[in-house]
Amino acid sequence: MSALPTPQPVGSDLPGAQVPIEDYAVLGDGHTAALVSRRGSVDWLCLPRFDSDACFAALLGTPDHGRWLLTVPDATEVTRRYRGDSFVLETTYRAPRGTAVVTEAMPLGDGRADVVRRLECTHGEVEVEHEWVVRFGYGRVQPWVRRETDEEGCETIRAVAGPDSLVLRGDRLPRPDAHRHRDRFTLRAGESVELSLTWVHSWEPVPPRLTVPDRVDATAVAWGLWARDCTYDGPYREAVVRSLLVLRLLSDTTTGGIVAAATTSLPETFGGERNWDYRYCWLRDAALTLEALLEQGFRQEATQWRDWLVRAVAGDPKDVQIMYRVDGGRRLPEMELAHLPGYAGSRPVRLGNAAVGQVQHDVLGGVMSALAMAREAGLSETADTWALQRLLVDDLASTWREPDRGIWEVRGAPRHFTHSKVMAWAALDRAVHAVETHGLPGPVARWRRVREEIRADVLEHGWSPERGTFVQHYGARHTDASLLQVLQVGFVPADGPHARGTIAAVREELEVAPGLLLRYRTERTDDGLQGAEAPFLACSFWLADALARADDVAGATAVLDVLVPLANDVGMLAEQYDPVARRMVGNVPQALSHLALVRAAHRHDLAARRAAVAASAVAP
């Protein structure tokens, strides 16, 4: 097992009063998401979509950059849970003189953008603190705030700036105090306060008030009805269901776009520059999400995402991007938000993502694999969906020999990454299978020939006979964790010498704590950035997945038993985990981490079932 990279620890003490990443829970409405701290502060919310500007941005700065706090300030114990299989969050505050419960959610299915919160004193009496600080434009724009009466005769507070407005309503509204609104009061057993926040275009009238308990109950039911279709029934069911719910939360229910995470610029190294905006739709991550959902019986999402894909990438294959906005938009210029100090002083804070312009040959392999799985699940192709796939595969058949930036989107020199070549092989392989098995039209003879050319090229240049492993790129002697996906797409037998050698080499080089893998060694990979990284959770779950595919059930179990408990108290996983500081690192919740958990648990279950059948066959 290798040592952790320097400098260490990755997660040194956070400066100031920055909330640890693992202290956040998430709320969502199928269009956007809010991050709520354990102490009841909504520190991140972009409205009305994931990739809209934030109106609460304290996550990347201070309360002056916007937040909505509702808490019991003298609580000595705070516990929380989601109500069943939902994103209705219930937080219990136990204070010296009483207990209170906050129930909050983003209502589903009403075509609006709301956050509702209800605080009830259940025992004794509690002091309540309420603070509402609205700053549009990622904490930069201070709105014009006024009190007004809505059409129902109820007092409201409305904050307006440009096209945006937020409306706060409730039983008790805070008072203005130095460019924010504050309140402090006492509740006794049986008393409660209800509050609702609504985003609306600044030129539109305020929509009707919500009945908070009814909308909370309906939202809990809706999430639960969706989750009950999960087919997994193995030992990690609770974590699998929660992860599936996170994947659904990160999927836009109108457009079908699936974002990589709900946040931007949560650092991969505290105080460093590895800070990225993940609120967009990566084709690769979305395709892997689709596979995780399909393996658990969710087909409607596959159809919706396929339709999104056709709209987003329509046109010349040369113009296809690796990522898009939630609505399929193409413009994601990367810029820095200099007014934000960054999480734990990690700068720059980035908006947009320059990787949008990169060439990454692996992407189509993931897309074609997901669409092949959808076909096997019974989704029929339309003329448009297959015509698009055929066009993209034809283009890749002509360009796969070119170097690219790879799955890790390195900002150094392009290379012939082994993973990219293998995934190009997977794209051709799935296209051939579509013709041979499903009777779809296409130049199958050419595709077969190119598929075999790629395979021969990888085995000649991407395999090290001396080390007995695939290597990160042609000419290298080191690995990276993406090579574990060689097993997932079936390029080599999962229990053969190529697979066993690669698993062993990856663990030797990249496993820095039991079950925890780095993506790659930054000192050996020209990624164009300074600093080290913490272990990458998706790669760590890929290790469990690979071991399960190789029928090493005990090994896969050992890894999963390390990784699954790393989720926070409400089941959220960030991008990375620092085992030295025992902290989450990177954007949260991270789709890649959650989908990798689901798929690894699925493969573990299949391997355990195979082992049980084999054992029963030889039993006397």
Side-chain angles (χ1 to χ4, degrees), residues 15 32 43 48 54 56 75 84 127 135 166 196 252 260 282 286 351 360 378 406 423 476 498 521 545 549 575 591:
T32 190
D43 286 344
F56 300 136
E127 186 177 20
R135 298 290 186 268
L166 283 180
S196 66
D252 187 277
W282 271 256
L351 177 65
Q360 298 174 16
M423 295 305 292
H498 289 85
R521 289 281 172 177
D545 184 296
R549 290 174 189 267
E575 181 182 20

Side-chain angles (χ1 to χ4, degrees), residues 59 262 275 301 455 559 590-591 596:
L59 178 71
N275 318 313
E301 291 72 21
R455 179 177 179 81
V559 173
Q590 179 83 0

Side-chain angles (χ1 to χ4, degrees), residues 157-341:
I157 303 176
R158 189 168 189 178
V160 176
D164 298 299
S165 75
L166 283 180
V167 180
L168 181 65
R169 290 180 282 203
D171 301 327
R172 180 185 175 113
L173 296 180
R175 308 301 301 181
D177 180 9
H179 304 295
R180 59 185 64 201
H181 283 69
R182 288 176 167 151
D183 194 11
R184 208 170 181 114
F185 55 94
T186 299
L187 288 181
R188 294 171 178 82
E191 297 178 339
S192 64
V193 60
E194 292 179 359
L195 298 160
S196 66
L197 175 76
T198 303
W199 176 89
V200 63
H201 282 122
S202 57
W203 57 85
E204 293 178 343
V206 176
R209 290 167 62 97
L210 294 175
T211 306
V212 172
D214 290 345
R215 293 303 301 134
V216 167
D217 291 346
T219 296
V221 169
W223 281 115
L225 288 174
W226 184 85
R228 73 178 183 180
D229 289 337
C230 171
T231 59
Y232 177 83
D233 195 28
Y236 307 103
R237 179 173 171 80
E238 183 178 352
V240 166
V241 171
R242 179 53 56 188
S243 290
L244 288 166
L245 284 162
V246 169
L247 297 178
R248 186 57 180 145
L249 178 143
L250 295 174
S251 305
D252 187 277
T253 55
T254 298
T255 68
I258 304 172
V259 299
T263 56
T264 180
S265 298
L266 289 181
E268 296 175 6
T269 303
F270 294 130
E273 65 174 333
R274 296 172 180 266
N275 318 313
W276 312 111
D277 192 349
Y278 279 3
R279 299 168 304 139
Y280 305 112
C281 304
W282 271 256
L283 299 187
R284 176 194 306 108
D285 296 43
L288 290 169
T289 297
L290 194 64
E291 291 185 328
L293 291 168
L294 284 167
E295 285 176 341
Q296 300 306 320
F298 296 96
R299 292 179 50 184
Q300 179 180 348
E301 291 72 21
T303 302
Q304 192 176 30
W305 180 77
R306 188 183 64 181
D307 293 343
W308 175 90
L309 175 71
V310 171
R311 296 192 304 270
V313 307
D316 191 325
K318 303 297 184 187
D319 297 330
V320 172
Q321 301 178 174
I322 64 163
M323 72 181 86
Y324 296 84
R325 300 188 72 91
V326 175
D327 62 1
R330 293 170 171 265
R331 289 182 54 80
L332 290 80
E334 186 173 304
M335 62 187 72
E336 297 178 5
L337 300 177
H339 67 282
L340 287 172

